[in-house]
Amino acid sequence: MSLEQREQSECERASRVLPPTPYPEPAPARVEARREHFLGEIDRQTRSRASRMALRPSRRWGLVVGTAVAAAASVVVLSFGSASTDAPSDVPPASAASVELLEKAALAAGTTPQTKVRAGQYTYVRTVGHTSVLSETAAGEMELLREDEGMEQWTSVDGSEPTLQRKGGSDNLLPGTAGGGNLNSPTYNFLAALPAEPDALLKRIREDVEKNHGAGSDSTTGPDQEAFVTIGDLLRNGATPPETTAALYRAAALISGVDVVSDAVDAAGRHGVAVARTHDGERTEWIFDKSTARLLGERTVLVEDNAWGKAGTVASSVALIDSGIVDVAGQTP
């Protein structure tokens, strides 16, 4: 099958899994421009990678798992990704189907009314879901458990006030975010100040992840996968400015290895279509409503048998239930 035939097949697959939406279809020229840009980026990274590899031997890093011991047992929180870093030369560009789906999600986000946010307000988000943990019993045996990730959270829009987190029936106050936020602890104001141009936004994210996941680091994830995960975390933040949300989707379309999963189920049991990226036997999925292209949630699915379970196991899953802007912590939209 030629490249043109494969792309036509991907576009037809995208049209089947995502029915027509009530906003304009992405212009074919825009989708093609995104792919052309990315193919050029892949070529540039391949040449750069080849020159770097000539200067140093390749290295393969194994999984390092930390433990915390309490009450004669220890719990290891699952950190997905376990062996090799990304290799741009070995990973295909984002598929045509994923580029089209992400563009539809961006268009949907862009039509969302802009909320006027005032100083002193909070972003609110409610989620349900789980993550996986390994528990070491007093007898020294390991067992895989699910840990509830359902919670409500109120975050100061500028990070100046403590964050209120309600989980398992208990309220906890977490420190505010110094400096107004960052990619690992974003606030509404921080997100609003991010570049609105996808290329510039992805560059900003890559610069941050390269520090801990780039060449020469001990990272087992790699910058491409970490950039994809970072964007997913920002999208799950809750009340993100519409312009920023649209830019994040378009930035994700520039990352290699992104594809579409035609049917995925979020932690609330809702079926949707997913944009996904597979790394080291685990597939990270962003699940969208098929009719509105609204983000429903995210999950990680094992595609190979490993210590965490059999292929097909949903190792973690978080669904977005509600979000918005409120005046005081503890209030709901």
Side-chain angles (χ1 to χ4, degrees):
M1 181 182 291
S2 69
L3 176 61
E4 292 78 8
Q5 290 173 324
R6 182 169 64 83
E7 291 191 352
Q8 179 62 31
S9 175
E10 289 176 349
C11 289
E12 291 174 354
R13 177 160 62 102
S15 65
R16 290 195 299 271
V17 300
L18 190 64
T21 49
Y23 39 82
E25 290 286 317
R30 185 184 187 103
V31 174
E32 181 61 22
R34 292 288 174 202
R35 286 183 59 75
E36 287 296 327
H37 168 86
F38 187 74
L39 289 170
E41 182 68 9
I42 285 290
D43 183 61
R44 183 188 67 78
Q45 290 183 6
T46 299
R47 293 194 303 269
S48 175
R49 179 178 175 82
S51 63
R52 291 199 307 269
M53 291 182 69
L55 296 176
R56 71 175 192 279
S58 61
R59 305 177 70 179
R60 185 175 180 87
W61 301 92
L63 174 66
V64 179
V65 181
T67 60
V69 180
S74 65
V75 174
V76 182
V77 179
L78 178 59
S79 177
F80 301 107
S82 59
S84 59
T85 58
D86 288 342
S89 59
D90 300 328
V91 181
S95 69
S98 67
V99 172
E100 182 175 349
L101 176 52
L102 286 164
E103 182 61 23
K104 288 185 176 183
L107 290 171
T111 61
T112 303
Q114 176 75 51
T115 301
K116 187 174 182 179
V117 177
R118 305 187 308 273
Q121 290 186 306
Y122 291 78
T123 57
Y124 167 80
V125 61
R126 180 163 73 95
T127 61
V128 297
H130 76 273
T131 189
S132 297
V133 299
L134 279 177
S135 175
E136 182 177 1
T137 67
E141 298 178 348
M142 301 299 293
E143 58 180 338
L144 186 65
L145 303 175
R146 283 191 171 189
E147 185 174 277
D148 183 20
E149 285 295 311
M151 68 173 183
E152 293 177 281
Q153 184 162 298
W154 292 263
T155 304
S156 169
V157 295
D158 62 2
S160 62
E161 299 294 331
T163 294
L164 172 61
Q165 188 177 91
R166 182 169 293 161
K167 187 175 182 180
S170 299
D171 286 358
N172 296 294
L173 284 177
L174 309 177
T177 305
N182 53 64
L183 288 174
N184 294 317
S185 185
T187 64
Y188 186 92
N189 288 1
F190 173 81
L191 292 168
L194 286 173
E197 206 287 319
D199 299 88
L201 177 56
L202 183 58
K203 180 181 178 182
R204 167 73 174 79
I205 293 170
R206 283 189 184 280
E207 287 174 348
D208 187 84
V209 302
E210 282 280 356
K211 297 174 184 177
N212 298 312
H213 302 275
S217 72
D218 291 354
S219 172
T220 63
T221 307
D224 278 351
Q225 179 66 10
E226 191 61 28
F228 187 79
V229 170
T230 296
I231 292 174
D233 290 343
L234 296 176
L235 291 168
R236 287 192 293 106
N237 186 61
T240 303
E243 187 178 52
T244 303
T245 301
L248 287 168
Y249 287 136
R250 288 171 176 141
L254 301 176
I255 299 175
S256 64
V258 179
D259 203 356
V260 165
V261 176
S262 60
D263 185 57
V265 185
D266 74 2
R270 300 172 296 191
H271 284 258
V273 58
V275 165
R277 191 176 194 278
T278 300
H279 173 78
D280 208 23
E282 297 154 1
R283 187 174 65 234
T284 302
E285 301 176 356
W286 304 343
I287 306 172
F288 297 90
D289 184 283
K290 289 185 178 182
S291 62
T292 66
R294 179 175 61 88
L295 183 66
L296 299 177
E298 179 182 326
R299 70 177 186 173
T300 299
V301 181
L302 303 184
V303 296
E304 299 174 0
D305 295 351
N306 62 28
W308 306 103
K310 298 290 185 180
T313 299
V314 179
S316 71
S317 184
V318 175
L320 293 166
I321 303 302
D322 195 12
S323 64
I325 302 293
V326 297
D327 291 330
V328 295
Q331 184 181 51
T332 57

